[in-house]
Amino acid sequence: MNSIKNIDSFGHVRGESLFVDDIIVQQNTLCGLVYDSPKAHGIIKNLDLSKAAAIEGVIKIFTYKDIPGENQIGGIIPDEPLLAENEAHFVGQPIALIVATSDSIAKKARALIEIKIEELPIITGAKEAASKKQFINTPRTFSLGNTDNAFIECDYVFEDEVFTNGQEHLYLETQGAYAVPMENGSIKVTSSTQGPTQVQKGIAKILGIGMHRIEVDVIRLGGGFGGKEDQATPWAALTALATYLLKKPVKLILNRHDDLRMTGKRHPYESNFKIGLTKELKIIAFEADFYQNSGAAADLSPAVAERTLFHATNSYFVKNVKTTVYSCKTNLPPNTAFRGFGGPQGMFVIEAAIAKAASEIGVTTTQIQETNLIQENDELAYGQLMTQTEAINSWQSAFKKFNYKKLATEIEVFNTKNKNFKKGISVMPICFGISFTNTPMNHARALVHVYQDGTVGVSTGAVEMGQSVNTKMLQIAAQTFAIQPDKIKLETTNTTRVANTSPTAASSTADLNGKALLKACSAILERLKTVAAQELKVRQEEVSLQNEWIYVNSKKSSLSWKELVANAMLARVALSEKSHYATPKIHFDKTKEKGHPFAYHVYGTAIITTTVDCTRGTYIFDSIKIIHDYGKSMNKGIDLGQVEGALAQGIGWMTMEEIAYDKKGNLLSNALSTYKIPDIFSIAENIEVIPLETEGNEMAILKSKAVGEPPLMYGIGAYFAIQNAIKAYNPSYKLKFHAPMTPEKVLMSLYQK
Ligand code: MTE
Ligand code: HPA
Ligand code: MOS
């Protein structure tokens, strides 16, 4: 059943798929619009809503004073009000909610709101915040061995600074929610969220009522990429607040400008590293300090910071490690989850350190990379013993399958022959841990109904956001019951059917929900087999199902799936099942910063080649060749789509997407004319992705490893490929680690003295 197609493809292409804004609304549905802070930091001295409220069609303007429960939406740390009270902390911070009969009336009203803010000092940079001791929480440090002693023994020691910029999620569907009043003070909210339970919990807190009164339904997302893991909550909470108080349905969809200004992005990081090697190129000591630009509130920053530390040595084993991360409080929108969740920021730093060391020592980067790859039973800084490692396997497979030597030689030859164009090559290995780093989040549930006509309804906690998790769920049910996919319906993700869910995140959704679903389907299947065995007068072990038919000892019987289900119904056998799955074996002790936090790791190696136009500073990627560790992919088409999509997003982050705020905390890259994301021409025509040959991993669903985030980090190779081309043109270029490597920066580097 490997070729099952994405079940959303027809609906998407025809424009029939439903998103929040496509729901047929109830009569008298009102429109919500957020009024946000025009200043990055200050005391709100006066807020005058009178002119705005006087417009005909404005029903009500809500402020924090109207909140019946707690004005608090902080998930990890309670440091974020839903609506600002006396202080504003970033441009775009919600201050009031205008509810009107139409969007255009709400917009008119927004323009008439008057505010007086007494400005306070504004911080926009992470190290700037650190120098003023502005932190979200206390720093975290992971360590292994003793770096101080190890550096003394090193033949080479290098230090430098690194910067990686933020990244805008740019999901096609902006943030939004639709709330409808139900009976007895209950509310139903349709939300574009990765975390339905997060939204349910958030609303209950804001309204000061029980979670049981709130039903959250998610049809699907037009992309999330982490941006809707926690940051879908405020918009849903605002609609729920208005609905609760007005007893009217309220819809709130951010327009693109509001979304860009009000929401957080990938965290920019300013970092320092110190790397020490022996003359055999073994890295024996590595230190890094990561200054994370968290924005004005914690949001998911502490969890993102933690994942940076988990990935600070990427695919390499280093005996002595000390890494510290500081979550720095600035006056930007709270930064949040973004594909890779802090991992990419960590991995870029060690790759920079290796590139620097190679350049200074006079060897190739690949020599250092290859010398230090993780091997079986290596113990990483956080205490996990690495087993079923594929770092060396994927590296060697890439070198062999793609003939690295030939590629590198061709590039050398090209560079000696060409003056105005230079080529560069890089190799990027990845090693990404699968599981929520916060152990208690690693669980899921599934609810399966087999209807009496033999069709099936499946509910899980998984949210479909383009990654095709619904197709994977459908495939599991179809495979287990041996029935056709069109007999199965994937239901919306709904908190009354599947409760207490973890968000769809950490690339773990298919593993967690898929394993729960497999359990539920298997339980029903066992009961059906009992009925079949009785009916056919055989032993249960002899019964199997194939193609909607019952087989006895591999011979087709006279009993069909449909009849079996009907008979089971008559025999009063339960045709529904709810199952729970929690990842076994994982644990982590935050007091010691040691444990076994990941179910397994995903590996792979990318080889990227680029040509730089040395007159213009522009570049193209000639080829991107990847050996990727899918385990045993359960759906090759979907998984390939995830690799290619993540790769494009990684290359975008590394080479062109440039978030810019001015010193006053205003977002300058506030439109698609000032923020460039990759398009079909930005990544190589010649992309080749070959599955690594492995046994797969039992902890992964059907041995098919998580695929959502890991391939983003292949994009890091793009930075170093370009850098190598620059070096070929300008031997006096001093390596700089300041991403993204935009054409502007390339041009400056080509002519740097
Ligand atoms: N793919 C698409 N098309 N759209 C998305 O929003 N999100 C990514 C990844 N792939 C995303 C995507 C992120 S950030 C994660 S964590 C995973 O999908 C989540 O889904 P999974 O756990 O089912 O892999
Ligand atoms: N990854 C993604 N999202 C998360 C995580 C994680 O490890 N922890 C909490 N939210
Ligand atoms: Mo993904 S950043 O874990 O939503």
Side-chain angles (χ1 to χ4, degrees):
M1 207 166 274
N2 217 335
S3 59
I4 188 168
K5 258 199 187 154
N6 184 334
I7 51 174
D8 274 343
S9 45
F10 286 110
H12 282 4
V13 171
R14 292 176 179 146
E16 290 169 355
S17 302
L18 298 180
F19 300 84
V20 176
D21 209 11
D22 299 314
I23 294 170
I24 297 171
V25 294
Q26 293 187 9
Q27 255 175 10
N28 302 323
T29 288
L30 299 170
C31 300
L33 186 71
V34 177
Y35 172 75
D36 59 303
S37 176
K39 301 286 181 197
H41 195 193
I43 310 287
I44 301 174
K45 285 287 179 187
N46 188 40
L47 181 67
D48 184 355
L49 306 172
S50 58
K51 284 184 195 144
I55 297 185
E56 198 183 323
V58 172
I59 306 296
K60 170 101 183 144
I61 303 176
F62 296 97
T63 66
Y64 74 93
K65 292 177 186 153
D66 299 298
I67 292 173
E70 237 184 290
N71 181 22
Q72 186 49 249
I73 53 164
I76 298 178
I77 298 172
D79 66 351
E80 191 178 358
L82 174 65
L83 292 170
E85 300 193 0
N86 301 318
E87 234 182 288
H89 291 274
F90 62 93
V91 173
Q93 181 173 4
I95 293 177
L97 175 72
I98 304 155
V99 178
T101 50
S102 80
D103 264 332
S104 59
I105 292 171
K107 266 187 206 138
K108 262 187 220 150
R110 181 159 81 171
L112 293 175
I113 292 180
E114 288 168 9
I115 194 164
K116 270 210 196 84
I117 294 182
E118 189 181 291
E119 289 188 58
L120 292 169
I122 296 163
I123 300 173
T124 57
K127 281 190 180 169
E128 183 193 350
S131 74
K132 295 179 177 153
K133 306 231 169 346
Q134 292 296 308
F135 299 109
I136 294 287
N137 57 357
T138 47
R140 300 261 306 262
T141 298
F142 283 11
S143 60
L144 180 69
N146 184 324
T147 47
D148 288 339
N149 292 348
F151 277 121
I152 298 167
E153 285 167 29
C154 290
D155 297 301
Y156 307 107
V157 177
F158 307 103
E159 295 177 67
D160 214 333
E161 292 179 352
V162 178
F163 174 77
T164 50
N165 207 333
Q167 186 174 24
E168 167 56 42
H169 302 87
L170 222 81
Y171 23 66
L172 280 180
E173 178 205 26
T174 54
Q175 304 271 5
Y178 178 47
V180 177
M182 307 297 279
E183 288 181 335
N184 303 324
S186 295
I187 296 179
K188 179 175 176 182
V189 181
T190 305
S191 164
S192 177
T193 180
Q194 291 172 236
T197 293
Q198 210 55 33
V199 168
Q200 183 192 19
K201 209 163 112 184
I203 294 173
K205 194 175 206 177
I206 292 293
L207 299 184
I209 61 176
M211 286 170 75
H212 66 311
R213 295 236 175 276
I214 316 292
E215 174 185 352
V216 177
D217 192 76
V218 184
I219 309 168
R220 63 162 61 69
L221 275 50
F225 306 111
K228 295 169 181 170
E229 180 173 337
D230 261 25
Q231 296 208 355
T233 304
W235 328 110
L238 287 169
T239 56
L241 172 71
T243 294
Y244 186 71
L245 296 174
L246 297 172
K247 307 210 169 12
K248 291 262 170 60
V250 177
K251 187 156 108 171
L252 168 59
I253 309 275
L254 298 190
N255 70 36
R256 183 63 69 184
H257 280 114
D258 285 0
D259 188 304
L260 291 171
R261 188 175 67 258
M262 294 176 188
T263 65
K265 308 169 195 318
R266 183 190 292 286
H267 295 79
Y269 273 56
E270 294 167 55
S271 310
N272 300 321
F273 68 77
K274 183 172 173 188
I275 188 170
L277 305 90
T278 63
K279 46 182 190 319
E280 292 79 29
L281 303 181
K282 200 98 195 128
I283 305 169
I284 57 167
F286 180 69
E287 284 183 356
D289 285 324
F290 300 101
Y291 294 87
Q292 176 198 61
N293 190 331
S294 312
D299 191 273
L300 288 161
S301 296
V304 171
E306 179 178 73
R307 196 174 268 279
T308 301
L309 299 186
F310 282 119
H311 292 86
T313 53
N314 187 18
S315 256
Y316 312 107
F317 171 66
V318 183
K319 257 199 314 201
N320 302 284
V321 179
K322 192 170 163 211
T323 53
T324 302
V325 64
Y326 301 86
S327 292
C328 306
K329 189 169 173 171
T330 61
N331 297 108
L332 301 182
N335 286 315
T336 194
F338 196 130
R339 210 170 193 170
F341 206 77
Q345 290 95 322
M347 283 157 68
F348 183 75
V349 172
I350 188 145
E351 293 303 325
I354 291 172
K356 168 113 183 178
S359 170
E360 298 283 326
I361 300 169
V363 295
T364 64
T365 306
T366 51
Q367 280 173 276
I368 300 180
Q369 288 173 309
E370 188 172 10
T371 307
N372 293 282
L373 291 170
I374 292 171
Q375 299 185 32
E376 204 63 10
N377 295 321
D378 280 342
E379 186 187 326
L380 298 197
Y382 50 92
Q384 184 152 350
L385 209 63
M386 301 296 274
T387 55
Q388 288 184 272
T389 54
E390 302 290 355
I392 294 174
N393 188 8
S394 69
W395 178 278
Q396 290 177 347
S397 302
F399 271 61
K400 218 165 106 196
K401 285 233 162 70
F402 302 130
N403 204 343
Y404 176 83
K405 274 216 178 95
K406 185 156 165 268
L407 280 172
T409 311
E410 280 168 6
I411 284 175
E412 259 176 51
V413 172
F414 178 95
N415 284 347
T416 52
K417 285 190 185 152
N418 288 275
K419 216 176 140 226
N420 296 326
F421 291 86
K422 293 290 181 188
K423 283 185 188 288
I425 186 167
S426 72
V427 182
M428 181 65 202
I430 61 155
C431 169
F432 194 79
I434 301 303
S435 287
F436 285 94
T437 53
N438 186 27
T439 305
M441 293 174 79
N442 293 284
H443 60 90
R445 280 151 302 286
L447 171 68
V448 179
H449 299 309
V450 174
Y451 297 105
Q452 51 192 292
D453 67 351
T455 60
V456 175
V458 170
S459 296
T460 73
V463 168
E464 175 58 52
M465 52 183 184
Q467 87 282 39
S468 312
V469 68
N470 277 357
T471 304
K472 287 191 171 178
M473 294 304 108
L474 185 137
Q475 191 175 329
I476 290 162
Q479 235 161 269
T480 310
F481 291 135
I483 61 176
Q484 287 302 308
D486 65 1
K487 283 212 161 56
I488 302 166
K489 181 180 173 219
L490 254 291
E491 305 290 354
T492 59
T493 315
N494 186 297
T495 53
T496 64
R497 267 180 276 115
V498 178
N500 305 322
T501 61
S502 289
T504 284
S507 304
S508 302
T509 318
D511 278 357
L512 297 173
N513 293 276
K515 292 233 174 194
L517 177 59
L518 189 59
K519 263 169 100 172
C521 294
S522 305
I524 297 174
L525 182 68
E526 279 312 299
R527 295 200 285 270
L528 288 173
K529 280 183 175 173
T530 309
V531 174
Q534 281 166 359
E535 200 124 316
L536 297 168
K537 302 198 171 46
V538 295
R539 283 182 298 125
Q540 188 163 332
E541 307 83 76
E542 299 173 278
V543 175
S544 63
L545 282 85
Q546 271 180 53
N547 250 327
E548 305 194 359
W549 219 266
I550 316 310
Y551 281 65
V552 176
N553 291 327
S554 315
K555 257 188 76 187
K556 195 170 172 178
S557 76
S558 57
L559 186 63
S560 71
W561 161 262
K562 208 173 151 160
E563 283 165 331
L564 173 60
V565 171
N567 294 348
M569 176 78 188
L570 291 174
R572 298 185 294 170
V573 169
L575 293 176
S576 294
E577 184 77 16
K578 181 83 174 267
S579 279
H580 171 86
Y581 173 78
T583 313
K585 292 180 192 154
I586 54 172
H587 57 89
F588 193 71
D589 181 348
K590 284 190 189 175
T591 62
K592 300 195 174 83
E593 303 289 27
K594 298 281 178 194
H596 186 103
F598 298 117
Y600 56 88
H601 288 76
V602 170
Y603 298 84
T605 301
I607 300 176
I608 300 184
T609 66
T610 182
T611 304
V612 172
D613 178 333
C614 301
T615 316
R616 295 184 177 86
T618 54
Y619 43 80
I620 52 162
F621 297 104
D622 303 307
S623 70
I624 301 173
K625 296 169 186 289
I626 297 171
I627 296 286
H628 185 76
D629 168 25
Y630 296 100
K632 290 254 174 273
S633 174
M634 67 180 282
N635 192 312
K636 293 188 172 130
I638 285 169
D639 285 350
L640 177 62
Q642 284 293 297
V643 173
E644 292 183 343
L647 171 71
Q649 221 162 18
I651 290 179
W653 175 54
M654 278 285 111
T655 68
M656 66 182 78
E657 298 186 39
E658 201 167 27
I659 303 257
Y661 288 95
D662 67 14
K663 283 268 165 253
K664 290 273 188 188
N666 295 299
L667 180 67
L668 300 173
S669 48
N670 63 352
L672 285 174
S673 52
T674 46
Y675 189 74
K676 175 87 184 90
I677 61 159
D679 57 32
I680 192 77
F681 303 107
S682 311
I683 52 173
E685 264 175 53
N686 184 5
I687 296 182
E688 203 177 337
V689 186
I690 298 181
L692 180 71
E693 281 171 32
T694 75
E695 268 314 299
N697 192 301
E698 287 296 345
M699 300 280 268
I701 180 67
L702 304 176
K703 294 193 174 187
S704 180
K705 284 190 174 181
V707 70
E709 293 167 287
L712 182 133
M713 283 145 275
Y714 294 134
I716 292 172
Y719 187 96
F720 295 100
I722 295 172
Q723 193 167 59
N724 287 335
I726 295 170
K727 269 201 306 195
Y729 183 82
N730 179 7
S732 69
Y733 163 70
K734 187 176 159 292
L735 297 195
K736 262 190 102 170
F737 308 106
H738 196 282
M741 182 68 99
T742 57
E744 199 179 338
K745 280 192 207 151
V746 174
L747 197 65
M748 307 278 269
S749 307
L750 287 166
Y751 297 99
Q752 182 198 81
K753 289 272 170 342

